[in-house]
Amino acid sequence: PHANHRLNNSAADTTPPQSFLDFCFFSHLPMPLDLVILEFGSMAASASFAGVEAIVRLLLSLREPPAIAFLTVREWCKASVKPWGSAPPYGPTTPTKHAKAEAAFEELCAHYNQTCLSYHRALAPHFHAGRDNFSMADIAGDCLHPNRGRLGNDYMSDLLVHYLRTAATAHAAARGGRRTAVTAAA
């Protein structure tokens, strides 16, 4: 990070991704964009995947297209709108709407050569193994949102920092190990 980096949150709570196409999408984003992080997984039940792809195509059509990272959050149990404890967690391979959305985002990432990050995939092995600090109360107290977990924000931050460090290392290696200023889109 350096002084020229800017962080902008253009999110809209409980808004399906295709809704962003109904208003001036780029009027809410500062230009130029280096990296756009999209989190549409939490809206899996109402997401139009054609709409998600349209957003990706719009972003990639910019004169200087940003790197795109899908940061997917998905439901851990049927009770995402209730306090944890009222429904058992999904198994590691339960085919939920959220799991299907995550798979669709991964297809978009592969097709458009972009990045997919999964909060669920990063934490599920620890959660299902019953490891300390990976209970539902730790990761997503309402079975969906990391910020509702005691350590959810920390885990989400760690996931993003790991991604950015890995991207910066790959960028440096591609430049022959030369030290250069690396932006968040590295």
Side-chain angles (χ1 to χ4, degrees), residues 77 79 82-88 136 141 143:
C77 73
K82 300 176 185 173
W84 167 246
S86 57
M136 191 61 65
C143 287

Side-chain angles (χ1 to χ4, degrees), residues 45-57:
S46 57
S48 156
F49 299 106
V52 172
E53 184 173 17
I55 290 169
V56 170
R57 293 177 96 182

Side-chain angles (χ1 to χ4, degrees), residues 19-20 31 34 62 71-72 81-82 105 111 113 119-120 123 125 127 134 165 168:
S19 297
F20 288 97
M31 295 293 171
D34 293 316
L62 293 173
L71 175 60
T72 304
V81 295
K82 300 176 185 173
F105 300 151
H111 182 76
N113 195 28
Y119 183 76
H120 185 270
L123 301 183
F127 170 75
F134 289 95
R165 285 186 178 154

Side-chain angles (χ1 to χ4, degrees), residues 20 29 32 38 55 67 91-92 100 150 161:
F20 288 97
L29 300 172
L38 301 172
I55 290 169
K100 291 175 185 174
R150 185 176 66 87
V161 167

Side-chain angles (χ1 to χ4, degrees), residues 2-84:
H2 57 75
N4 293 333
H5 283 159
R6 292 177 299 158
L7 178 64
N8 178 66
N9 182 349
S10 295
D13 283 348
T14 66
T15 304
Q18 62 274 13
S19 297
F20 288 97
L21 298 170
D22 295 335
F23 58 88
C24 296
F25 182 63
F26 292 109
S27 69
H28 299 308
L29 300 172
M31 295 293 171
L33 299 167
D34 293 316
L35 170 66
V36 175
I37 299 172
L38 301 172
E39 196 294 301
F40 295 139
S42 61
M43 293 300 300
S46 57
S48 156
F49 299 106
V52 172
E53 184 173 17
I55 290 169
V56 170
R57 293 177 96 182
L58 274 171
L59 289 167
L60 294 177
S61 73
L62 293 173
R63 185 169 171 251
E64 294 181 41
I68 298 171
F70 279 87
L71 175 60
T72 304
V73 170
R74 76 185 219 203
E75 201 171 43
W76 294 83
C77 73
K78 291 181 183 179
S80 65
V81 295
K82 300 176 185 173
W84 167 246

Side-chain angles (χ1 to χ4, degrees), residues 3 6 9 37 63 72 79 86 90 92-93 106-108 112-113 127 145-146 149 154 172-173 180 182:
R6 292 177 299 158
N9 182 349
I37 299 172
R63 185 169 171 251
T72 304
S86 57
Y90 292 126
T93 59
E106 288 171 356
E107 287 179 23
L108 286 175
Y112 290 102
N113 195 28
F127 170 75
H145 300 95
D154 294 334
T180 60
V182 177

